[in-house]
Amino acid sequence: MRRLRTAILISGRGTNMDALVTAARDKEFPAEIALVMSNRPDAPGLARAKAMGLATAAVDHKIHAGREEFERSMQILLETYRIDFICLAGFMRLLTPWFIGAWSGRMLNIHPALLPSYRGLHTHERALAEGVKIHGCTVHFVVPQMDEGPIVAQAAVPVLDDDTPESLGARVLKQEHRIYPLALGLVASGAVRVEGNRVLGAVAANDRALTAPTVI
Ligand code: GAR
């Protein structure tokens, strides 16, 4: 089995990166982590990836003249490492249509909300402010529109009366760590297909729990 050479792009602590790296340690997993790249040279996740013996790269957006130049630097590295597939994991830079087009159908993102609700930032604060009873996370293909694109996997968690953004975020994060490796596994193995805005085959192909609400 040829494993997809996957790059994980991070900006910060990298706990989703950890979950993907752990899953990919299994030689049967259909993707291998061939590069961890960050736009922040001081990202804690980057140091951890290095300590784990993974190939790492920092492409500092601040020293590039603009978005395109920054992305071209990333693209050169992605080509150098012969990357097939990208997982955005807490990568906090907006990407241009050029970069997204270059990776169309080959780039996933994880978002800390049940899309299409709560696109953008501060999702846990906003979910609490709106009084929703169910919150969660989404893995989706990346398209030029921010936090849109065919959804591969979602997990839901209850919102509890005494939740703070931190406690709710921690409950969601646990589910992120569960569904991101599952989603990458589904896509990398070819178990799912994209039809328009829908990703089909996820439940039948793998884990019924993947799309079922998770009650904690
Ligand atoms: C995660 O909660 C991820 O869903 C979110 O950033 C966090 C990164 O945590 N991503 C976004 O908000 C993207 N818009 P991590 O660095 O520990 O994986």
Side-chain angles (χ1 to χ4, degrees), residues 10-18 45 48 88-92 109-113 119-124 137-138 140 146-147 169 172-173 176-177 180:
I10 64 170
S11 296
R13 64 188 169 180
T15 65
N16 277 290
M17 172 202 78
D18 289 333
R48 226 172 31 262
L88 304 179
F91 185 72
M92 305 309 274
N109 179 46
I110 186 146
H111 183 74
R119 297 183 176 118
L121 299 174
H122 310 299
T123 55
H124 311 312
C137 51
T138 302
H140 64 98
M146 188 187 70
D147 297 332
V172 169
L173 191 64
E176 295 186 35
H177 298 162
Y180 211 174

Side-chain angles (χ1 to χ4, degrees), residues 2 6-7 13 20 30 49 77-78 87 89 92 104 107 140 160 162 178:
R2 185 179 172 279
T6 301
R13 64 188 169 180
L20 293 169
L77 279 162
L78 293 165
C87 287
M92 305 309 274
S104 175
M107 180 157 58
H140 64 98
L160 305 182
D162 57 356
R178 192 174 70 85

Side-chain angles (χ1 to χ4, degrees), residues 10-191:
I10 64 170
S11 296
R13 64 188 169 180
T15 65
N16 277 290
M17 172 202 78
D18 289 333
L20 293 169
V21 167
T22 300
R25 283 209 184 103
D26 179 351
K27 295 280 174 266
E28 299 297 310
F29 192 74
E32 62 179 306
I33 308 308
L35 179 65
V36 175
M37 188 153 71
S38 177
N39 63 305
R40 293 191 176 278
D42 59 350
L46 199 61
R48 226 172 31 262
K50 204 178 244 174
M52 288 191 278
L54 294 164
T56 59
V59 180
D60 188 347
H61 64 277
K62 290 199 213 97
I63 64 168
H64 288 80
R67 264 182 215 286
E68 293 240 345
E69 200 181 300
F70 162 65
E71 290 176 353
R72 281 187 199 284
S73 293
M74 290 204 298
Q75 183 71 10
I76 288 168
L77 279 162
L78 293 165
E79 284 167 11
T80 305
Y81 282 87
R82 293 176 287 111
I83 297 301
D84 304 307
F85 201 88
I86 293 176
C87 287
L88 304 179
F91 185 72
M92 305 309 274
R93 302 298 299 167
L94 286 179
L95 296 166
T96 67
W98 170 74
F99 188 85
I100 293 171
W103 292 93
S104 175
R106 301 189 296 148
M107 180 157 58
L108 293 176
N109 179 46
I110 186 146
H111 183 74
L114 287 172
L115 293 173
S117 292
Y118 306 117
R119 297 183 176 118
L121 299 174
H122 310 299
T123 55
H124 311 312
E125 285 86 340
R126 287 157 59 208
L128 285 174
E130 301 246 27
V132 298
K133 298 298 182 201
I134 301 284
H135 188 44
C137 51
T138 302
V139 179
H140 64 98
F141 282 97
V142 177
V143 297
Q145 297 76 26
M146 188 187 70
D147 297 332
E148 293 188 25
I151 291 171
V152 183
Q154 291 185 304
V157 302
V159 180
L160 305 182
D161 287 355
D162 57 356
D163 264 333
T164 61
E166 291 70 33
S167 64
L168 181 56
R171 193 174 307 118
V172 169
L173 191 64
K174 248 190 186 167
Q175 296 307 313
E176 295 186 35
H177 298 162
R178 192 174 70 85
I179 67 168
Y180 211 174
L182 278 170
L184 176 60
L186 285 172
V187 172
S189 66

